[in-house]
Amino acid sequence: RTEVAEPLTAVVVNSSGGVGGGDRLEVSVEVGDGASLLVTGQAEEKIYRSSGAEATVVTTLMAGAGSIIEFLPQGTIVFDAARFRRLTVIDGAPGSRVMAGEMLTLGRVERGEKYSTGRRHDEWRVLRNGRLAWSDALHLSDSHAAVIRPALESPAGFNGSPGYATFIYMADDAAERVESARKIQDQTSANVQAGVTSFDGLLVARWLGDKPEDVRTAFGIFWAQFRASTCGYPERLPTIWNI
């Protein structure tokens, strides 16, 4: 059940309790012309360590003309030695709006675990009016000469931070929303790095921090305020985020 003034909401449930090596999960969401939908998750997804097989998750979001999609999973925890490939495809028709994001925690931070072995490939593809507008991929692998930890520790990489989040807004007015997005990010705590940019009908915001819970807080504040200012929705996250 949704709160008052909220769009139809779907909660994706992984009844296995996590993703193991060799698993393959596919989610396809199609929203018709002029319709609205919010898709979220039951909880943070866990990617377990693997003895060799790679797990794959493919998500496709298809937005009809004049429609609105919010894709707001609760984040992903990648265990050390996990092997995981994820592809998220956004396909937007003319006049559609899509807000999509993801939070990533590298290693079980509360246990002192660091992500240092395994393979992680996380890719976004955004199509506008049937044409590829943006493709972005994060790839970490212990099979390369430059192993994972140096890349994560580098100031040009993650700078030692295990918490990471991405927000994407695809719409005709994306460039017009940059200044308001930056004002929202001004509320971000000092221990979380944040930035916003826009190009080709897209707005992309990112966060990086030593404490994943601080990244989650900054991400949630941004999402709630951005959806309110952009789509006129209430300034809040789905109820399930607080359970």
Side-chain angles (χ1 to χ4, degrees):
R1 272 182 302 185
T2 60
E3 301 289 347
V4 175
E6 290 289 351
L8 183 69
T9 299
V11 179
V12 179
V13 177
N14 179 5
S15 58
S16 67
V19 179
D23 286 354
R24 181 175 178 86
L25 306 177
E26 294 188 30
V27 176
S28 182
V29 177
E30 183 173 359
V31 178
D33 297 352
S36 301
L37 176 69
L38 187 154
V39 182
T40 188
Q42 63 180 10
E44 286 185 290
E45 188 67 274
K46 300 177 181 64
I47 312 299
Y48 298 122
R49 63 186 298 123
S50 171
S51 59
E54 183 176 72
T56 303
V57 174
V58 179
T59 302
T60 304
L61 308 173
M62 294 173 285
S67 67
I68 301 175
I69 297 179
E70 288 182 89
F71 180 66
L72 180 57
Q74 293 205 49
T76 303
I77 301 173
V78 184
F79 289 32
D80 188 36
R83 296 185 177 275
F84 179 56
R85 177 175 294 268
R86 177 167 56 195
L87 171 63
T88 305
V89 179
I90 300 171
D91 191 350
S96 63
R97 296 183 180 186
V98 178
M99 285 179 280
E102 178 60 286
M103 295 172 292
L104 179 66
T105 299
L106 294 170
R108 290 172 289 179
V109 176
E110 296 300 321
R111 296 190 177 191
E113 179 183 87
K114 292 186 176 182
Y115 185 69
S116 57
T117 60
R119 183 166 62 245
R120 165 76 182 179
H121 184 91
D122 208 346
E123 184 175 351
W124 293 88
R125 294 179 195 165
V126 180
L127 294 87
R128 300 191 70 221
N129 307 329
R131 300 186 63 180
L132 183 66
W134 185 59
S135 180
D136 180 74
L138 167 66
H139 186 83
L140 299 168
S141 175
D142 59 9
S143 63
H144 296 166
V147 293
I148 292 173
R149 287 314 306 173
L152 295 180
E153 299 293 345
S154 170
F158 278 64
N159 199 30
S161 299
Y164 174 70
T166 297
F167 171 92
I168 298 171
Y169 176 62
M170 186 214 72
D172 293 338
D173 65 347
E176 302 168 19
R177 301 291 178 177
V178 173
E179 290 308 312
S180 61
R182 287 174 176 162
K183 287 181 180 179
I184 298 172
Q185 279 204 340
D186 286 343
Q187 304 171 51
T188 304
S189 62
N191 60 331
V192 176
Q193 300 177 62
V196 177
T197 189
S198 179
F199 50 89
D200 298 333
L202 295 174
L203 180 148
V204 179
R206 281 186 164 135
W207 297 261
L208 187 66
D210 294 335
K211 296 182 178 180
E213 62 269 25
D214 291 342
V215 173
R216 179 184 174 89
T217 297
F219 180 84
I221 290 172
F222 181 92
W223 195 294
Q225 294 188 21
F226 190 88
R227 77 192 298 259
S229 64
T230 302
C231 301
Y233 290 148
E235 189 180 310
R236 61 188 176 210
L237 297 174
T239 301
I240 195 169
W241 272 57
N242 301 314
I243 296 177

